[in-house]
Amino acid sequence: MGKLEGKVALITGGARGMGKSHVRHLVAQGARVVFGDVLDDAGNAVAAKLSSESARYVHQDVTSEDDWAAAVATTLETFGRLDVLVNNAGVLRHAKIADMSPAEFRRVLEINVVGSWLGIRAVIDPMIAAGGGSIINISSIEGFTGAAGLSAYSASKFAIRGITKSAAQELGQHGIRVNSIHPGGIMTPMAMEAAQTMTDVDGASFLKAMPIPRFGEPVEVSRLVAFLASDESSYSTGSEFIADGGILSGPGY
Ligand SMILES: NC(=O)c1ccc[n+]([C@@H]2O[C@H](COP(=O)([O-])OP(=O)(O)OC[C@H]3O[C@@H](n4cnc5c(N)ncnc54)[C@H](O)[C@@H]3O)[C@@H](O)[C@H]2O)c1
């Protein structure tokens, strides 16, 4: 028996990168999963490799309240309950403040922050009906530190930490736990795209200075997602879980 047997999860941004890994890993642990994204071809391809009894793809833009209502309704119609939300969808725009338009800044906050907040709002009633639940918000190491060119991204990831703690305070009385995960250095399409624009960063020296001197695999974060989704983490809420190869432990002089 997997540790998530009987649980039903809704995962955003599941068509590629870490979200795709979370979908597969949670299904492997016994969960039934509905996952959304705006990349429909990629999302349908992920679903095609999984049993329709355990996974279903839906088109979902996390900035749309209607899409949230539809994704939650599909989850309840398909699998009868909702126990876990993984707010994973996110975007990174790399540009110095002087070079970034206000519209670009607002767009990052709209997807990463408002999208996650709308998700929490949309699952409260079904989770209360299920007798409790676990909400997992994907922040970043940039939720603890800034970086040149990442003002919008870092602001959004700090905000997710704050929302996580407020939601934990509000929802604990209903048996709903809310935690944040802070990955760093995970090899995904987002990381590869960022590496192409951050040409002033010396990747080899960066890696060498890390306590675990390698990039992380998406599944190394998925295992943390499964832990927080499961009853094994029953006494953790409002907390931060880091998977970054030790980047945040210090500058590695
Ligand atoms: N890769 C890393 O090292 C790293 C580090 C820290 C945090 N993160 C965070 O992890 C999460 C997943 O990132 P990833 O690296 O897998 O990136 P990714 O770009 O590979 O995947 C992100 C997914 O989110 C989807 N998405 C974007 N906008 C959306 C929207 N409006 N509605 C629904 N889906 C949308 C994308 O289509 C994509 O499938 C993000 O929140 C990211 O900020 C990544």
Side-chain angles (χ1 to χ4, degrees), residues 72-149:
V72 168
T74 301
T75 307
L76 298 176
E77 280 157 24
T78 312
F79 297 129
R81 54 187 294 129
L82 176 46
D83 308 281
V84 176
L85 168 66
V86 186
N87 268 322
N88 165 78
V91 291
L92 182 153
R93 296 279 178 272
H94 184 253
K96 298 243 168 82
I97 295 169
D99 302 326
M100 188 177 225
S101 72
E104 274 179 300
F105 183 85
R106 289 196 177 99
R107 183 71 186 146
V108 172
L109 266 68
E110 185 70 20
I111 294 172
N112 295 3
V113 181
V114 181
S116 299
W117 184 85
L118 286 175
I120 296 171
R121 203 163 176 270
V123 301
I124 292 172
D125 285 347
M127 282 191 181
I128 291 173
S134 174
I135 298 173
I136 300 151
N137 296 322
I138 306 298
S139 175
S140 169
I141 53 171
E142 264 83 33
F144 294 100
T145 182

Side-chain angles (χ1 to χ4, degrees), residues 16 18 37 60-62 88 139 153 157 183 186 188 190:
R16 72 176 201 185
M18 271 187 268
D37 209 296
Q60 183 201 18
D61 180 337
V62 294
N88 165 78
S139 175
Y153 187 74
K157 295 302 186 178
I186 311 296
T188 65
M190 175 189 281

